[in-house]
Amino acid sequence: MSPLNLDDFTDLIERPDGGTRRDAEERRARLTVPPGALGRLDELGEWLSAAQGKVPVRPVERPRVVLFAGDHKVAELGVSARPAGGAAALVRQVVEGGSASAILAARLGVPVRVVDMSLDCDPGELPAEVAGHRVRRSSGRIDIEDALTIEEAEAAFRAGMAVADEEADSGTDLVVLGDVSVGGTTAAATLIAALCGTDASVVTGRGGAPIDDLAWMRKCAAVRDALRRARPVLGDQLALLATVGGADLAAATGFLLQCAVRRTPVILDGVVSAACALVGQRVAFRAPDWWLAGQASGEPAQAKALDRMAMEPLLDQGVTVGEGAGALLALPLVQAAAALAGQLPEAPAAETAGSGAGESTEAPAAETTEPAEAAASEARASDAPGSPEAEAAGAGE
């Protein structure tokens, strides 16, 4: 296997087709619904056209939820309302259909795929299709040690790439990306603070299960200490993921970048997917053009990352549960944009031509009235007192 060179993504990733987007904009101007009347749905439809390279845009028919799962030992510090090592129980809820994201996905008819990267449990406790890509058991405590070795980080990154290829090859036309983790928001906040040059207190939020003030202070301290360890490796994104990320975050970053290579659009969920996207932007600056921010979770680190990438969330519902639930809420909006852009009829050509024809039929009529107006003017002038014609008529009398 050849060494992983992240610089290759800069050459491999192209922007969505600009020519197709212009064609989509021109078609939109011809639709029966006035331009601008559909608000942001117009922009979404044009973005999808460019991503697909098709005008009119195809409907989004085979979306899929992909969740990367992992535990983080930093949770042992009491930075989460959930117990350290508790992500495996959350995964079981998703698999069994009892989680928020599983219920939403079932309601929308979207399949869910969970990928275990570093859960703190025996892999035999999970379905084989879930545990097949595991790199290690729980990522390291990032305030005092690396989350992963560089070899583990590369393995996780490649696993994410492989999952992206599997989804593209199976016909998935849009991905909803989320995470299932305990301690993951602490690692995400550290990555975002490091890449944005921000203090720990600015990016530290309350997490998926809201924490009290004392837990927030512990979390802020953990981010601060991890941030000190992150700064020396800022120039190497793989080393950054190994130092203060985790197996699930490294896999999600590789997944996002490979989705951009494969021209597969992605809806981002919360702060963890936003952190991975920010790392991906550092790797390949054109990659974010393939991603949408599904929702604003209220986490300050997510807001910081989305602002840095110039992304505006589709929804603002403050959903912090994770598991892709917030992004799933945005999926019907994207599907509606595709349906409207692809199925609204164009205005009949006769209407457009008719307005021009009306103008052309009025012009000759105006021209024919000009001689009559001139004759009338001359007649009025001849009748005017003192005119030569009037004097001649008087002399005749």
Side-chain angles (χ1 to χ4, degrees):
M1 183 183 296
S2 60
L4 182 63
N5 184 4
L6 298 188
D7 291 339
D8 290 343
F9 284 104
T10 302
D11 298 325
L12 292 171
I13 295 174
E14 300 178 352
R15 296 188 192 278
D17 193 290
T20 302
R21 181 154 194 161
R22 286 188 293 274
D23 292 343
E25 291 170 353
E26 291 173 3
R27 182 179 186 276
R28 175 64 187 92
R30 300 192 300 269
L31 298 183
T32 52
V33 176
L38 295 175
R40 196 173 176 188
L41 294 179
D42 283 340
E43 175 191 339
L44 288 175
E46 292 157 5
W47 175 76
L48 281 170
S49 272
Q52 296 175 358
K54 298 289 184 183
V55 177
V57 64
R58 296 191 304 266
V60 177
E61 294 180 329
R62 300 190 65 180
R64 182 142 178 166
V65 179
V66 176
L67 307 176
F68 289 98
D71 278 300
H72 297 258
K73 287 185 179 179
V74 71
E76 296 171 358
L77 297 174
V79 300
S80 173
R82 296 188 176 105
L90 300 177
V91 166
R92 292 189 193 97
Q93 288 181 4
V94 175
V95 172
E96 294 168 3
S99 70
S101 62
I103 292 169
L104 285 173
R107 177 69 180 82
L108 296 171
V110 181
V112 178
R113 178 178 185 179
V114 182
V115 184
D116 167 23
M117 299 306 304
S118 56
L119 291 174
D120 190 12
C121 68
D122 190 307
E125 299 175 14
L126 301 169
E129 64 271 17
V130 171
H133 289 286
R134 176 183 286 200
V135 168
R136 59 177 284 168
R137 184 164 177 159
S138 193
S139 297
R141 214 183 101 180
I142 58 174
D143 62 320
I144 59 172
E145 64 180 350
D146 289 349
L148 309 165
T149 67
I150 197 68
E151 292 79 16
E152 289 170 338
E154 180 172 339
F157 196 98
R158 287 185 183 276
M161 293 172 60
V163 172
D165 284 333
E166 290 165 9
E167 292 302 324
D169 292 340
S170 68
T172 298
D173 54 9
L174 185 143
V175 173
V176 174
L177 177 64
D179 70 287
V180 184
S181 64
V182 175
T185 61
T186 303
T190 303
L191 287 170
I192 292 168
L195 292 170
C196 293
T198 304
D199 292 336
S201 60
V202 176
V203 297
T204 303
R206 301 281 175 169
I211 54 177
D212 60 23
D213 291 345
L214 287 176
W216 181 88
M217 292 173 66
R218 292 192 293 269
K219 184 174 181 179
C220 191
V223 173
R224 178 200 63 207
D225 293 343
L227 196 52
R228 294 194 188 104
R229 304 184 62 258
R231 290 186 177 122
V233 294
L234 273 178
D236 185 337
Q237 281 72 50
L238 192 62
L240 181 65
L241 290 166
T243 303
V244 296
D248 48 343
L249 278 78
T253 304
F255 177 84
L256 280 168
L257 287 167
Q258 191 63 14
C259 279
V261 172
R262 298 297 302 270
R263 307 178 70 87
T264 305
V266 179
I267 303 178
L268 307 175
D269 183 34
V271 64
V272 172
S273 56
C276 297
L278 191 60
V279 177
Q281 183 197 43
R282 284 296 185 98
V283 174
F285 67 95
R286 288 185 287 264
D289 289 350
W290 294 94
W291 313 326
L292 289 174
Q295 59 109 21
S297 66
E299 282 282 314
Q302 185 207 24
K304 195 77 177 175
L306 295 183
D307 180 69
R308 181 59 61 95
M309 293 183 289
M311 286 186 178
E312 182 182 354
L314 296 179
L315 300 174
D316 187 358
Q317 300 299 321
V319 178
T320 60
V321 69
E323 305 168 4
L328 264 170
L329 292 174
L331 176 60
L333 198 64
V334 178
Q335 291 176 312
L340 289 169
Q343 298 175 32
L344 275 174
E346 296 187 24
E351 289 184 12
T352 306
S355 61
E359 293 172 1
S360 63
T361 55
E362 292 173 6
E367 291 173 2
T368 57
T369 59
E370 287 179 3
E373 290 176 358
S377 178
E378 290 176 4
R380 287 193 296 271
S382 66
D383 292 338
S387 67
E389 293 82 351
E391 291 177 359
E397 294 174 354

Short mmCIF file of all heavy atoms in Angstrom, two decimals, residues 25 30 40 46 99 108 111 124 133 135 188 244 251 253 257 301 332 339 348 361 376 382 384 388 394:
data_model
loop_
_atom_site.label_atom_id
_atom_site.label_comp_id
_atom_site.label_asym_id
_atom_site.label_seq_id
_atom_site.Cartn_x
_atom_site.Cartn_y
_atom_site.Cartn_z
N GLU A 25 -29.29 28.06 -13.47
CA GLU A 25 -29.78 29.40 -13.16
C GLU A 25 -30.61 29.97 -14.32
O GLU A 25 -31.65 30.60 -14.10
CB GLU A 25 -28.60 30.32 -12.84
CG GLU A 25 -27.90 29.98 -11.53
CD GLU A 25 -26.60 30.74 -11.36
OE1 GLU A 25 -26.19 31.43 -12.32
OE2 GLU A 25 -25.98 30.63 -10.28
N ARG A 30 -36.61 30.77 -16.34
CA ARG A 30 -37.69 30.51 -17.29
C ARG A 30 -38.88 29.78 -16.67
O ARG A 30 -39.87 29.52 -17.35
CB ARG A 30 -37.17 29.68 -18.48
CG ARG A 30 -36.06 30.34 -19.28
CD ARG A 30 -35.80 29.60 -20.58
NE ARG A 30 -35.42 28.23 -20.38
CZ ARG A 30 -34.16 27.80 -20.26
NH1 ARG A 30 -33.16 28.68 -20.29
NH2 ARG A 30 -33.88 26.50 -20.11
N ARG A 40 -34.28 30.16 -0.48
CA ARG A 40 -33.03 29.41 -0.56
C ARG A 40 -33.18 28.09 -1.32
O ARG A 40 -32.18 27.48 -1.70
CB ARG A 40 -32.50 29.15 0.86
CG ARG A 40 -31.04 28.74 0.84
CD ARG A 40 -30.45 28.65 2.22
NE ARG A 40 -29.08 28.16 2.14
CZ ARG A 40 -28.34 27.83 3.20
NH1 ARG A 40 -28.84 27.96 4.40
NH2 ARG A 40 -27.12 27.38 3.04
N GLU A 46 -29.90 24.66 -7.56
CA GLU A 46 -28.79 24.95 -8.47
C GLU A 46 -27.51 24.27 -8.00
O GLU A 46 -26.72 23.77 -8.82
CB GLU A 46 -28.59 26.47 -8.57
CG GLU A 46 -29.76 27.16 -9.28
CD GLU A 46 -29.89 28.63 -8.92
OE1 GLU A 46 -29.00 29.14 -8.18
OE2 GLU A 46 -30.86 29.27 -9.35
N SER A 99 -33.22 5.13 18.64
CA SER A 99 -32.62 6.45 18.82
C SER A 99 -33.38 7.50 18.00
O SER A 99 -34.19 7.17 17.12
CB SER A 99 -31.16 6.43 18.36
OG SER A 99 -31.09 6.30 16.95
N LEU A 108 -38.38 8.90 7.24
CA LEU A 108 -38.04 9.44 5.93
C LEU A 108 -37.68 8.35 4.92
O LEU A 108 -37.43 8.65 3.75
CB LEU A 108 -36.87 10.42 6.06
CG LEU A 108 -37.13 11.68 6.89
CD1 LEU A 108 -35.83 12.46 7.12
CD2 LEU A 108 -38.18 12.56 6.22
N PRO A 111 -31.94 4.61 4.85
CA PRO A 111 -31.17 3.61 5.59
C PRO A 111 -30.05 4.26 6.40
O PRO A 111 -29.53 5.32 6.04
CB PRO A 111 -30.60 2.71 4.49
CG PRO A 111 -30.60 3.55 3.26
CD PRO A 111 -31.76 4.50 3.39
N GLY A 124 -17.27 -8.25 19.23
CA GLY A 124 -18.22 -9.33 19.06
C GLY A 124 -19.61 -8.98 19.56
O GLY A 124 -20.58 -9.68 19.23
N HIS A 133 -14.61 -2.05 10.52
CA HIS A 133 -13.51 -1.10 10.26
C HIS A 133 -12.80 -0.62 11.52
O HIS A 133 -12.01 0.32 11.46
CB HIS A 133 -14.06 0.12 9.52
CG HIS A 133 -14.46 -0.15 8.10
ND1 HIS A 133 -13.55 -0.33 7.08
CD2 HIS A 133 -15.69 -0.30 7.54
CE1 HIS A 133 -14.19 -0.55 5.95
NE2 HIS A 133 -15.49 -0.55 6.20
N VAL A 135 -10.45 0.45 14.44
CA VAL A 135 -9.01 0.68 14.48
C VAL A 135 -8.43 0.36 15.86
O VAL A 135 -7.33 -0.20 15.96
CB VAL A 135 -8.70 2.15 14.11
CG1 VAL A 135 -7.26 2.51 14.42
CG2 VAL A 135 -9.00 2.40 12.64
N ALA A 188 -13.60 17.60 19.10
CA ALA A 188 -14.00 18.49 18.01
C ALA A 188 -13.71 19.94 18.36
O ALA A 188 -13.21 20.71 17.53
CB ALA A 188 -15.49 18.30 17.72
N VAL A 244 -4.96 15.09 18.66
CA VAL A 244 -6.11 15.57 19.45
C VAL A 244 -7.46 15.22 18.83
O VAL A 244 -8.48 15.73 19.27
CB VAL A 244 -6.02 17.09 19.67
CG1 VAL A 244 -4.81 17.45 20.50
CG2 VAL A 244 -6.02 17.85 18.34
N ALA A 251 -11.67 9.11 10.59
CA ALA A 251 -12.44 8.40 9.57
C ALA A 251 -13.43 9.34 8.88
O ALA A 251 -13.57 9.31 7.65
CB ALA A 251 -13.17 7.23 10.19
N THR A 253 -13.17 12.54 8.49
CA THR A 253 -12.43 13.46 7.63
C THR A 253 -12.06 12.79 6.31
O THR A 253 -12.24 13.37 5.23
CB THR A 253 -11.16 13.95 8.35
OG1 THR A 253 -11.52 14.55 9.60
CG2 THR A 253 -10.42 14.98 7.51
N LEU A 257 -13.54 13.91 2.47
CA LEU A 257 -12.67 14.23 1.34
C LEU A 257 -12.89 13.26 0.18
O LEU A 257 -12.92 13.69 -0.99
CB LEU A 257 -11.21 14.21 1.79
CG LEU A 257 -10.80 15.40 2.67
CD1 LEU A 257 -9.46 15.15 3.33
CD2 LEU A 257 -10.75 16.69 1.84
N ALA A 301 -18.39 25.98 19.03
CA ALA A 301 -17.34 25.51 18.12
C ALA A 301 -17.89 25.27 16.72
O ALA A 301 -17.22 25.56 15.72
CB ALA A 301 -16.70 24.24 18.68
N PRO A 332 -35.34 16.65 4.02
CA PRO A 332 -36.53 16.93 3.20
C PRO A 332 -36.46 18.28 2.50
O PRO A 332 -37.03 18.43 1.41
CB PRO A 332 -37.66 16.90 4.24
CG PRO A 332 -37.15 16.05 5.34
CD PRO A 332 -35.68 16.34 5.41
N ALA A 339 -36.84 18.49 -6.15
CA ALA A 339 -38.11 18.23 -6.81
C ALA A 339 -38.63 19.48 -7.52
O ALA A 339 -39.08 19.42 -8.67
CB ALA A 339 -39.13 17.74 -5.79
N PRO A 348 -44.50 28.96 -20.96
CA PRO A 348 -44.62 28.74 -22.41
C PRO A 348 -43.86 29.78 -23.20
O PRO A 348 -43.87 30.97 -22.85
CB PRO A 348 -46.13 28.85 -22.66
CG PRO A 348 -46.76 28.53 -21.35
CD PRO A 348 -45.81 29.04 -20.30
N THR A 361 -46.49 45.15 -32.81
CA THR A 361 -47.74 45.49 -33.50
C THR A 361 -48.17 46.91 -33.21
O THR A 361 -48.87 47.52 -33.99
CB THR A 361 -48.87 44.52 -33.11
OG1 THR A 361 -48.99 44.55 -31.68
CG2 THR A 361 -48.58 43.13 -33.60
N ALA A 376 -53.45 67.37 -39.41
CA ALA A 376 -54.32 68.12 -38.50
C ALA A 376 -53.64 69.36 -37.98
O ALA A 376 -54.22 70.43 -37.83
CB ALA A 376 -54.75 67.22 -37.34
N SER A 382 -53.42 76.66 -40.53
CA SER A 382 -54.02 77.45 -41.61
C SER A 382 -55.23 78.22 -41.14
O SER A 382 -55.56 79.27 -41.67
CB SER A 382 -54.39 76.52 -42.77
OG SER A 382 -55.41 75.64 -42.38
N ALA A 384 -55.52 79.48 -38.17
CA ALA A 384 -55.12 80.44 -37.14
C ALA A 384 -55.17 81.86 -37.68
O ALA A 384 -54.82 82.12 -38.82
CB ALA A 384 -53.70 80.12 -36.66
N PRO A 388 -51.16 83.30 -43.62
CA PRO A 388 -51.35 83.66 -45.03
C PRO A 388 -52.58 83.03 -45.62
O PRO A 388 -53.29 83.63 -46.40
CB PRO A 388 -50.07 83.13 -45.70
CG PRO A 388 -49.06 83.07 -44.59
CD PRO A 388 -49.85 82.76 -43.37
N GLY A 394 -59.88 85.61 -46.62
CA GLY A 394 -60.64 86.82 -46.35
C GLY A 394 -60.73 87.71 -47.58
O GLY A 394 -61.74 88.33 -47.87
#
